[in-house]
Amino acid sequence: MPDGSRKPLTANISAKGCAALYRMVLALRPVLVVEIGMAHGVSTLSILAGLMQTGGRLISIDPYTDWESGKLAALHGVCRAGFTGNHRHLQLRSYEALPRLLLEETSVDLGYIDGCHDFDHAFIDFFFLDRMIPFGGVLGFNDAGWPAVFKVIQYLRKHREYEELDVGLKPDYSARNAFLGVARRILNMPRQDRYFCKTGDTK
């Protein structure tokens, strides 16, 4: 925290997820990345660490409703790492911020969805980012095994032209019991982050 105090992480992607996100930035060399959900800034720092090597900017969208300490921790981490010049935080809900970016004709090379995991929010995030991602751009999903997020991925695979990328994350079908684990395998519903490259335009 800016005052020197420490708080435990309560919302962050895994270390393996961070590494995959960092590798994706290095491989794609995006001009602009947009992430939905900044939380404590763990994914934010992973993206910016890559952008400092490749060039490019990051827009983080997170409203931080009733969570001022989370915003302070995230922005302090970005500042302390020296990444402020490549970063912009929009303290808005994604369904407010994304239409504004679309109206500004923003082109997004890499979108990372890690906001509210309800179906309506996740689908809106996908809907708007899909319209800003050009051919060859990439869309990533955190917590891809959550049922609502998985439904969005199913829609993407059926109604949009995207190809799933291998980002070095081993498929994780673990579940609370063996039956759910088998169901995850049958449905191809792994828990790890998943990334998709846009191969066509179906707008």
Side-chain angles (χ1 to χ4, degrees), residues 37-50:
M38 189 177 174
H40 281 117
V42 176
S43 59
T44 307
L45 292 173
S46 302
I47 295 167
L48 287 168

Side-chain angles (χ1 to χ4, degrees), residues 18-96:
C18 287
L21 187 51
Y22 172 75
R23 291 194 301 268
M24 176 55 62
V25 172
L26 293 183
L28 189 61
R29 305 182 69 86
V31 174
L32 179 64
V33 182
V34 171
E35 69 166 342
I36 312 298
M38 189 177 174
H40 281 117
V42 176
S43 59
T44 307
L45 292 173
S46 302
I47 295 167
L48 287 168
L51 292 177
M52 291 302 291
Q53 298 185 56
T54 65
R57 299 179 299 113
L58 168 64
I59 297 175
S60 302
I61 300 171
D62 200 318
Y64 284 107
T65 304
D66 300 323
W67 193 25
E68 186 69 12
S69 63
K71 181 184 73 173
L72 289 175
L75 293 179
H76 178 63
V78 171
C79 180
R80 187 176 180 183
F83 297 157
T84 304
N86 297 75
H87 184 244
R88 176 187 177 193
H89 171 230
L90 298 180
Q91 189 166 349
L92 296 166
R93 299 183 187 277
S94 58
Y95 58 76
E96 298 169 330

Side-chain angles (χ1 to χ4, degrees), residues 38-194:
M38 189 177 174
H40 281 117
V42 176
S43 59
T44 307
L45 292 173
S46 302
I47 295 167
L48 287 168
L51 292 177
M52 291 302 291
Q53 298 185 56
T54 65
R57 299 179 299 113
L58 168 64
I59 297 175
S60 302
I61 300 171
D62 200 318
Y64 284 107
T65 304
D66 300 323
W67 193 25
E68 186 69 12
S69 63
K71 181 184 73 173
L72 289 175
L75 293 179
H76 178 63
V78 171
C79 180
R80 187 176 180 183
F83 297 157
T84 304
N86 297 75
H87 184 244
R88 176 187 177 193
H89 171 230
L90 298 180
Q91 189 166 349
L92 296 166
R93 299 183 187 277
S94 58
Y95 58 76
E96 298 169 330
L98 290 172
R100 297 186 188 187
L101 294 177
L102 181 61
L103 287 173
E104 294 170 4
E105 299 184 351
T106 304
S107 180
V108 179
D109 303 296
L110 171 60
Y112 186 68
I113 297 177
D114 186 20
C116 181
H117 288 5
D118 294 339
F119 176 78
D120 51 352
H121 288 86
F123 186 84
I124 288 172
D125 294 345
F126 154 72
F127 179 86
F128 280 104
L129 282 173
D130 175 54
R131 276 151 178 75
M132 290 183 276
I133 292 176
F135 176 84
V138 173
L139 190 56
F141 293 86
N142 178 251
D143 290 327
W146 282 50
V149 179
F150 179 65
K151 288 181 181 179
V152 176
I153 292 174
Q154 284 182 306
Y155 182 92
L156 172 150
R157 300 185 71 175
K158 183 176 181 180
H159 299 286
R160 295 291 187 270
E161 296 183 31
Y162 282 83
E163 179 181 338
E164 186 160 9
L165 301 174
D166 181 356
V167 295
L169 292 174
K170 183 178 179 181
D172 177 9
Y173 298 103
S174 61
R176 294 188 301 273
N177 59 58
F179 174 79
L180 289 176
V182 171
R184 283 188 177 278
R185 287 183 179 275
I186 294 173
L187 294 172
N188 188 25
M189 193 177 177
R191 297 159 55 97
Q192 82 284 348
D193 287 9
R194 298 174 70 179

